[in-house]
Amino acid sequence: MTRYLKPSLGYYHIKNLTPRIIENFSQSLLDKNLTNHTMEIIISVMKKALRMARFPYKLLNTNLAEYTSYPKRKLTVAELARKNMMI
């Protein structure tokens, strides 16, 4: 959370967050060359925080994560080969 979420989204007040800001953040994860699994963990933590901001804390009227699309990094040839060897 302190490595990815807080530096990118931490200076926004929670009521000023928009689905576009969240999409831009999730797209920026692709530029960091993270694995899909790592991106899924970061995004799931963010989704959970936004769900909790809506309920039980009632800081938001809607869960912004519901209106956001999330990227998935395409695997490299080496990663595909490694994945196929594991199967």
Side-chain angles (χ1 to χ4, degrees), residues 32-72:
K32 294 181 183 344
N33 202 22
L34 301 172
T35 64
N36 283 336
H37 181 70
T38 302
M39 287 192 302
E40 287 172 6
I41 291 170
I42 294 166
I43 289 170
S44 69
V45 168
M46 180 186 61
K47 283 181 170 182
K48 176 70 175 182
L50 290 171
R51 270 195 309 270
M52 289 185 72
R54 182 167 185 267
F55 182 81
Y57 299 115
K58 298 181 182 175
L59 298 172
L60 296 172
N61 293 330
T62 60
N63 183 354
L64 301 173
E66 292 176 6
Y67 308 111
T68 307
S69 61
Y70 300 99
K72 193 160 191 175

Side-chain angles (χ1 to χ4, degrees), residues 1 15 24 34 40 54-55 65 72 75 77 82 87:
M1 189 155 157
K15 293 191 183 236
N24 288 341
L34 301 172
E40 287 172 6
R54 182 167 185 267
F55 182 81
K72 193 160 191 175
L75 298 177
V77 174
R82 210 171 339 166
I87 295 176

